Amino acid sequence: MSAREHRAVVCLALLCSLSTTALPSWAAETLRIGAIPDQNPEKLNRLYGLLAQELSQKLQVPVRYVPVSNYPAAVSAFRTGGLDVVWFGGLTGVQARLQTPGATVLAQRDIDAKFRSVFIANTQSGLQSISSLEGLQTLKGKRFTFGSESSTSGRLMPQHFLQQGGVTPNQFAGGRPGFSGSHDATIALVQSGSYEAGALNEQVWTSALKSGAADPNKVTVIWRTPTYVDYHWVARPVLDKRFGSGFTTKLQKAILGIKPTTANGKTILSLFAAEEFIPASASQYAPIETVGRQLGKIR
Amino acid sequence: MLELRDVCLTSRDSPRLNHVSLTFRAGETIALIGPSGAGKSTLLSIANGSLKPSSGTALWQGTPVHQLPRRQRRRIGTLWQDLHLVEELSVAQNINCGALGRRSLLWALANLLVPLERDACMTCLKQAGLQQDLIDRSVTTLSGGQRQRVALARLFRQRPDLVLADEPLSNLDPALVQDLLNTLLRQTPTSAGDILASTTVVCLHRPDLIDRFDRVIALRDGHVVMDAPSASITTKDLDVLYRASSEGRRAAPKP
Amino acid sequence: MKRPVVSAPLLCLLPALALVPVLIVVGEGLHGGGFETWWRFLQGAVQPSKDPLLLKSLWEGLQVTLATALVGWGLSTLIGLLLGVFSSDVLWESAKIPTWPAAAIRSLLALPRAIHELLWGLLLLQVLGLHPWVAVAAITIPYSALVARVFRDQIDSIDRRRLTAVLQSGASAPAAFVSSIGPPLQPILLSYGGYRLECALRSATLLGVFGLGGIGTELQLTLQSLRFAEFWSGLWLLILLSVLLEQGLTFWRHRQQTNPSQWNGVSVLTMTVLAVLVGGHWLQQLLPTSGTTLQLMLPPLPDISALQLAATELPWLRMIEQTMRLTLLAAAIAIALPPLCLLIFPGRIAKQVFLGLWTLQRVLPPPLTLLMLLLANLPSLALAALALGLQNAGVMGRLLVEGLDQQSPGTMKAIEVTAAGPRQAWLLGCLSPQSRSYLAYGAYRTDVILRETLVVGLVGGTGLGWMLIESLSSFHWAAVLLIIVCFALLTLAGESISDGLRQRWLRTPGESAST
């Protein structure tokens, strides 16, 4: 090999190694945010598109929204590093934090500290308003649907309250409950009569009533659950290493700083159905973990 | 009985027929001869209604054959060169295919489970000259001669008045040829119900058996070139028929 | 009276009896409330959404799905071909080496084959995280093993005398192998290769339904939130793509068959390589992975005591029983429905209508069909079987029509001129000659359906599939592991049964029918 060829090979090798080191570092600048797909994708796209824009402005890093189509996928993506910051439900957040040691709880909405689910029924099912936990027994033998199998407000807490009221899932018609997949689908399926009753997130129910997606002549609330704690923002532990020290705190401040005073902030908060974001801590979610373990959703 | 009136066929993949007019009269046995490619099979297909002529008509007692009601169509039976047995089925089930014109779809379905009307099948089997213990065999296990007999038994089951047979003898041993001709052409019953049909038209590849028939029709290149009682045909006529065609082909090869 | 023997053509139709209980259950489950939803659903078909933003995202999804299918197909065909060659006895024999490595490769390949691509997808998602290549890998792994098996069977069934002759003439072993095995392998490379591409597109869509990206994800999310107009925009796009692909492949196959040349095989291989390169580049363009390099992130592996605990907790008997019932019902529907439709409506126009309908059934992933049916029906195992059966009926139907079109019309003509009615003539003249190969394919399809029960189980709340998604969403790895093993065992058992049946149907009819 001549000296010139030799140099060429060395240069090429250098270039190759450079490009391999450059590739991840160039890309690592993007902050990937995600959310559990609890509502219709069009709304999620709009909401998180705006949010990504807002956060990018405040943090001076590119922010990209990565859509995920089911709950466990969001948890796994968080664990494996596909998502950096995720808007989790109570259960999925606990699952994610258990699988990703060091992950931090950043914030929750004002409504999340005292969250509720509603039990709804088709008006032709003959189901009456329920006033106590024991009243849930009237649901035995009825066709009943939850939302997604990993949803806190659409499955975990409703199942927990049902159990307290003495109803186990195999006592529904057909020996098992349905899983509609999302809160919107639960409303539609109960309204159409596929299921006689179902349980979902109260906030989604209220906005469905407002938008007209739910017809009060066909479907009504028969019970509101006691309050529990739900949704929260969770961040991966390595963010400070990737974006510089103090980044996680900056991120938390940015989220808490979204206020209805700016136009963007107002839209984002109204899409989140919240007045503001408030600080949250991991300890608040201990009851969810307990219930999750009881019902076998956390191992 | 069956009349072809000025039948023409122009088609790319089958031999053409040119203004053929013929009448098959009741009670006749007819040999249809001619070199290969002369249009013999095409003519039979038009006569049984499975092929529609480009112009002209095939009439069964005055009605165009492809307009015949099912009840009437049954009266024209065909013995195909390739037999076209249903290979997946047993002998009895194949014979029963001859009765489909008189039976419902439900009957056809039930026949696929258990061969129905076994007695009738047995009779047809006997008439066609097959051993009775073959009745439940699958047709694929039979010899060539036996298969031909099954096709014949299917025809017996159909009870046609006119039988059109397309080169039934081409792949048979000489002994079997005589046997089959006896069955095909027997026109006076030896025992009750032994007649296949009053009228029979048989396509022949070779002209050596024409003395068994009443009438001989010769085709060449889609034209009827001869139509006479078999007794009046001489070997010279036949020589001319076959040689002329091969010469003609040599002189003007088809594009 | 003779003992009844169910003949092959009847066996194609008889499974239709399974429709009776299924339709009774489904009929009882119909409810009025659903009709309004269905009406809105059908309105969506006529008036799909034309929102430019939506169309843009659907268009991107469609490209992702197509690119994923192309790469998965190309890789699996290449890898499968290699594995097929190396797992064939002939290769080792030609080199005069003991054949045990071939047998070893074959048994190793049984596992990737036994696990459905969706399961691979969900597992790889756990291990590798959200990454566009997860879907590609999920398709490539089981498909490679499937393709390898088909090629191996073909190679080993080729007449070896030719190879021996070439070897004796002094050629080297590899040269002899290529020259004697290559040419007979071409037709299968052509027809099976094209078929796998269609399958890959279906799989890529299905993987999307379960969250691995592409048009499937869009369809699932819009249907689940009942946005029918948006759903139909996506579905129409997908139908268009599928029809174009199917027609293109049919045209291509036809051309290669009418002008056979020894370059056919080479051109298929070139296409697969191109598919990998172009599709891969395309995928990279569509989904910049922004730095996520593929890395193994194994979830905590369960220990023995956890496995034992899970084994006692799981309702094995019920899960397996439901899975088997689902398989049999769906297979019966898939096999019997196409011939039944054509028997009842034997006309030419009806055939075109059915072909269109079957295309729709093929395109729509079963979980989505099930979700659609659920809009107006109560959930039941019968409904899940119907959804699964309908998609496979779409595949079987096209195959049946293709077979019928290629078959010589002689028997049909012969039966017609006995004055049989059009239905009887179709039954005996068309279906009967086709029945054995149709049943043989039906046996293979049943095997596929068993794998696919997973897919509707995930939605319908039945069988092993449901238990699996529940365990996955609880991150209960012990249960996940056990269910996968159980499912793989079931699939392997099903595969050997369906192989036996297929051999039986493909033998000459006399051997089995008269016994």
Side-chain angles (χ1 to χ4, degrees):
Chain A
M1 201 183 280
S2 76
R4 202 168 142 188
E5 278 176 346
H6 201 86
R7 272 201 305 274
V9 170
V10 171
C11 278
L12 198 68
L14 262 176
L15 265 175
C16 283
S17 54
L18 262 178
S19 62
T20 48
T21 50
L23 211 75
S25 65
W26 155 77
E29 287 166 14
T30 306
L31 182 73
R32 290 178 299 268
I33 62 171
I36 49 168
D38 62 336
Q39 293 183 59
N40 74 59
E42 178 249 18
K43 187 173 169 188
L44 291 178
N45 275 326
R46 206 147 49 95
L47 169 55
Y48 290 96
L50 264 179
L51 186 68
Q53 213 182 325
E54 174 89 9
L55 289 179
S56 177
Q57 263 174 22
K58 285 191 176 166
L59 299 167
Q60 298 298 314
V61 292
V63 182
R64 197 160 70 90
Y65 166 58
V66 182
V68 186
S69 74
N70 65 60
Y71 288 40
V75 175
S76 296
F78 185 76
R79 175 174 67 84
T80 52
L83 295 173
D84 298 318
V85 192
V86 181
W87 178 241
F88 278 120
L91 173 63
T92 40
V94 173
Q95 286 177 333
R97 280 184 281 126
L98 285 172
Q99 292 181 23
T100 321
T104 43
V105 178
L106 295 180
Q108 59 182 198
R109 295 171 299 187
D110 50 353
I111 53 172
D112 288 314
K114 288 190 162 43
F115 210 73
R116 287 177 198 269
S117 296
V118 287
F119 280 58
I120 56 170
N122 189 294
T123 43
Q124 292 184 341
S125 65
L127 284 165
Q128 299 297 317
S129 255
I130 294 168
S131 50
S132 66
L133 276 175
E134 285 67 39
L136 289 172
Q137 306 244 354
T138 54
L139 290 171
K140 281 185 188 172
K142 299 287 180 190
R143 298 189 304 273
F144 186 88
T145 185
F146 290 123
S148 166
E149 68 281 341
S150 297
S151 166
T152 310
S153 52
R155 191 237 172 129
L156 187 78
M157 294 316 285
Q159 189 177 343
H160 170 65
F161 292 123
L162 279 165
Q163 202 161 33
Q164 286 192 334
V167 185
T168 55
N170 57 15
Q171 287 170 326
F172 293 122
R176 60 192 160 80
F179 287 94
S180 71
S182 76
H183 300 294
D184 293 318
T186 302
I187 299 177
L189 289 174
V190 174
Q191 183 163 309
S192 78
S194 282
Y195 292 93
E196 290 163 297
L200 75 149
N201 176 325
E202 184 174 39
Q203 173 236 323
V204 175
W205 168 253
T206 320
S207 52
L209 270 185
K210 241 183 252 168
S211 73
D215 180 351
N217 294 319
K218 291 182 180 161
V219 55
T220 55
V221 171
I222 52 171
W223 190 54
R224 291 174 81 206
T225 64
T227 60
Y228 53 88
V229 58
D230 202 344
Y231 293 85
H232 51 317
W233 282 108
V234 185
R236 275 179 65 76
V238 293
L239 294 187
D240 285 6
K241 211 191 289 171
R242 275 177 49 208
F243 295 93
S245 65
F247 184 81
T248 311
T249 326
K250 256 164 68 185
L251 178 63
Q252 186 177 26
K253 276 199 185 127
I255 293 174
L256 294 175
I258 299 172
K259 296 288 175 197
T261 46
T262 65
N264 244 354
K266 194 173 173 187
T267 325
I268 292 171
L269 286 173
S270 80
L271 284 168
F272 266 105
E275 300 285 319
E276 59 176 345
F277 284 104
I278 57 172
S281 67
S283 61
Q284 279 178 285
Y285 292 86
I288 295 282
E289 183 174 344
T290 316
V291 173
R293 286 194 191 279
Q294 270 171 16
L295 298 181
K297 294 303 294 178
I298 295 174
R299 296 273 164 179
Chain B
M1 194 171 218
L2 189 112
E3 188 192 352
L4 299 179
R5 197 178 284 170
D6 199 27
V7 167
C8 294
L9 188 85
T10 40
S11 158
R12 256 188 308 152
D13 35 82
S14 54
R16 294 157 35 137
L17 286 184
N18 262 326
H19 301 286
V20 172
S21 293
L22 281 172
T23 309
F24 304 147
R25 288 176 289 272
E28 273 182 332
T29 59
I30 301 165
L32 195 59
I33 59 170
S36 53
K40 303 186 296 284
S41 303
T42 313
L43 189 106
L44 290 196
S45 291
I46 287 175
N48 69 21
S50 60
L51 201 65
K52 236 177 128 177
S54 328
S55 70
T57 39
L59 300 164
W60 173 259
Q61 295 175 342
T63 320
V65 281
H66 56 269
Q67 287 171 14
L68 279 177
R70 272 175 68 189
R71 223 168 262 282
Q72 294 287 317
R73 248 186 111 164
R74 173 190 65 75
R75 296 170 63 188
I76 309 172
T78 309
L79 187 64
W80 301 84
Q81 184 175 10
D82 300 327
L83 304 181
H84 295 313
L85 298 178
V86 185
E87 306 290 341
E88 283 68 26
L89 301 180
S90 71
V91 171
Q93 285 166 326
N94 263 289
I95 295 176
N96 269 335
C97 287
L100 287 175
R102 306 183 293 268
R103 300 286 186 271
S104 68
L105 175 63
L106 218 57
W107 186 89
L109 281 168
N111 181 50
L112 291 180
L113 184 63
V114 190
L116 301 170
E117 303 177 31
R118 277 168 69 87
D119 292 343
C121 290
M122 206 65 103
T123 314
C124 297
L125 206 67
K126 216 185 318 175
Q127 287 169 330
L130 267 176
Q131 302 97 294
Q132 304 203 353
D133 55 348
L134 292 179
I135 190 160
D136 289 321
R137 289 269 292 275
S138 160
V139 289
T140 44
T141 61
L142 302 183
S143 70
Q146 285 170 325
R147 287 165 59 85
Q148 189 126 35
R149 297 273 163 183
V150 174
L152 209 55
R154 179 167 75 183
L155 265 184
F156 271 110
R157 188 88 169 95
Q158 189 180 338
R159 286 193 269 125
D161 294 333
L162 167 69
V163 166
L164 308 168
D166 193 0
E167 308 217 2
L169 311 172
S170 47
N171 297 319
L172 293 183
D173 295 337
L176 289 174
V177 164
Q178 290 303 329
D179 251 18
L180 189 73
L181 270 185
N182 286 339
T183 318
L184 267 177
L185 300 180
R186 191 178 297 143
Q187 282 169 313
T188 45
T190 47
S191 60
D194 226 346
I195 309 181
L196 178 55
S198 66
T199 313
T200 313
V201 181
V202 180
C203 269
L204 292 176
H205 185 56
R206 297 172 326 202
D208 51 349
L209 291 161
I210 54 172
D211 50 343
R212 297 284 308 265
F213 296 83
D214 301 337
R215 179 178 160 197
V216 174
I217 299 172
L219 281 181
R220 196 175 65 209
D221 298 333
H223 294 275
V224 175
V225 290
M226 199 192 306
D227 185 355
S230 67
S232 69
I233 309 272
T234 62
T235 31
K236 200 176 155 217
D237 292 334
L238 296 172
D239 272 1
V240 170
L241 172 71
Y242 283 87
R243 194 181 312 132
S245 101
S246 56
E247 269 170 8
R249 203 163 294 160
R250 222 173 294 144
K254 275 190 183 170
Chain C
M1 197 75 180
K2 198 184 166 292
R3 187 173 59 88
V5 176
V6 184
S7 52
L10 194 59
L11 207 55
C12 297
L13 293 165
L14 218 53
L17 288 177
L19 273 172
V20 177
V22 168
L23 288 181
I24 288 176
V25 173
V26 171
E28 276 180 346
L30 274 180
H31 56 78
F35 288 119
E36 199 192 307
T37 325
W38 259 90
W39 177 239
R40 286 204 296 125
F41 178 78
L42 291 179
Q43 275 180 324
V46 194
Q47 297 166 318
S49 166
K50 294 182 200 75
D51 176 24
L53 263 180
L54 173 86
L55 288 181
K56 186 169 163 274
S57 108
L58 285 174
W59 174 238
E60 271 169 16
L62 197 68
Q63 292 181 62
V64 170
T65 300
L66 182 61
T68 308
L70 278 176
V71 184
W73 170 73
L75 280 178
S76 62
T77 308
L78 290 174
I79 299 174
L81 186 61
L82 276 182
L83 287 173
V85 167
F86 281 102
S87 65
S88 67
D89 292 333
V90 179
L91 177 82
W92 302 86
E93 276 169 16
S94 72
K96 304 219 170 13
I97 303 175
T99 60
W100 64 263
I105 297 178
R106 285 205 294 276
S107 38
L108 276 180
L109 286 178
L111 191 69
R113 207 173 55 219
I115 295 177
H116 191 265
E117 58 266 22
L118 174 61
L119 197 43
W120 278 114
L122 292 175
L123 287 176
L124 290 173
L125 192 67
Q126 296 299 331
V127 178
L128 300 171
L130 262 188
H131 194 284
W133 286 82
V134 164
V136 172
I139 292 177
T140 306
I141 294 171
Y143 274 35
S144 300
L146 275 168
V147 172
R149 178 161 180 252
V150 170
F151 280 129
R152 181 260 152 180
D153 287 352
Q154 284 297 319
I155 293 173
D156 274 348
S157 67
I158 290 169
D159 192 351
R160 291 176 202 203
R161 279 173 298 187
R162 211 164 133 180
L163 178 66
T164 326
V166 181
L167 274 176
Q168 273 167 354
S169 73
S172 69
F177 189 79
V178 170
S179 65
S180 64
I181 302 296
L185 214 54
Q186 280 189 22
I188 190 83
L189 196 63
L190 272 178
S191 61
Y192 188 70
Y195 163 74
R196 283 320 303 178
L197 181 56
E198 288 170 27
C199 293
L201 183 67
R202 280 202 287 273
S203 293
T205 313
L206 179 74
L207 286 169
V209 171
F210 286 91
L212 277 85
I215 190 101
T217 306
E218 312 267 346
L219 288 176
Q220 154 78 5
L221 290 174
T222 46
L223 184 60
Q224 198 162 57
S225 49
L226 310 177
R227 306 192 151 240
F228 300 130
E230 295 168 14
F231 171 75
W232 273 101
S233 310
L235 191 58
W236 281 125
L237 276 177
L238 183 61
I239 290 174
L240 192 70
L241 176 67
S242 307
V243 171
L244 280 178
L245 184 72
E246 280 182 11
Q247 294 299 319
L249 282 172
T250 312
F251 173 75
W252 185 59
R253 213 165 5 205
H254 186 73
R255 245 192 56 175
Q256 303 280 21
Q257 270 163 6
T258 44
N259 317 310
S261 88
Q262 46 185 327
W263 295 104
N264 282 353
V266 180
S267 71
V268 179
L269 289 179
T270 318
M271 289 238 328
T272 53
V273 174
L274 270 179
V276 175
L277 293 177
V278 172
H281 185 70
W282 198 3
L283 208 54
Q284 212 67 38
Q285 293 289 312
L286 286 166
L287 300 169
T289 47
S290 46
T292 33
T293 40
L294 271 179
Q295 50 183 329
L296 277 181
M297 300 276 277
L298 278 177
L301 285 173
D303 55 14
I304 298 289
S305 63
L307 283 175
Q308 277 171 342
L309 187 68
T312 49
E313 273 177 6
L314 289 170
W316 292 109
L317 213 62
R318 209 187 67 217
M319 286 188 322
I320 294 176
E321 180 260 341
Q322 282 181 340
T323 303
M324 297 318 291
R325 201 143 48 102
L326 195 57
T327 307
L328 292 179
L329 283 177
I333 293 172
I335 293 173
L337 206 57
L340 193 67
C341 289
L342 292 176
L343 175 68
I344 297 174
F345 304 100
R348 204 172 298 166
I349 300 168
K351 188 172 101 179
Q352 291 306 322
V353 171
F354 283 129
L355 277 176
L357 213 59
W358 289 332
T359 307
L360 187 67
Q361 282 166 231
R362 275 197 305 277
V363 170
L364 209 60
L368 295 186
T369 316
L370 187 57
L371 272 180
M372 266 162 51
L373 292 173
L374 272 175
L375 294 177
N377 214 297
L378 305 180
S380 61
L381 188 136
L383 205 63
L386 192 63
L388 190 53
L390 281 179
Q391 192 198 25
N392 284 287
V395 179
M396 294 294 290
R398 187 169 70 128
L399 196 93
L400 179 63
V401 169
E402 272 176 9
L404 291 178
D405 286 348
Q406 280 169 14
Q407 162 178 303
S408 92
T411 315
M412 176 70 174
K413 240 189 235 169
I415 302 287
E416 260 179 345
V417 300
T418 65
R423 295 193 178 92
Q424 295 163 327
W426 189 85
L427 176 67
L428 287 154
C430 274
L431 180 62
S432 296
Q434 198 61 35
S435 54
R436 290 187 159 268
S437 56
Y438 184 70
L439 281 174
Y441 191 73
Y444 165 72
R445 207 71 218 166
T446 308
D447 186 27
V448 174
I449 289 173
L450 173 62
R451 282 165 229 252
E452 287 186 346
T453 52
L454 187 73
V455 171
V456 287
L458 294 179
V459 175
T462 34
L464 286 160
W466 164 244
M467 216 57 211
L468 184 80
I469 202 80
E470 176 71 5
S471 308
L472 264 178
S473 78
S474 315
F475 301 95
H476 186 3
W477 299 113
V480 170
L481 196 66
L482 286 176
I483 292 170
I484 291 174
V485 170
C486 172
F487 204 77
L489 288 177
L490 264 186
T491 316
L492 288 176
E495 192 179 88
S496 71
I497 293 174
S498 102
D499 268 1
L501 281 173
R502 202 166 50 176
Q503 296 302 328
R504 191 192 133 126
W505 291 122
L506 287 180
R507 247 183 293 161
T508 51
E511 290 170 46
S512 54
S514 58
T515 48

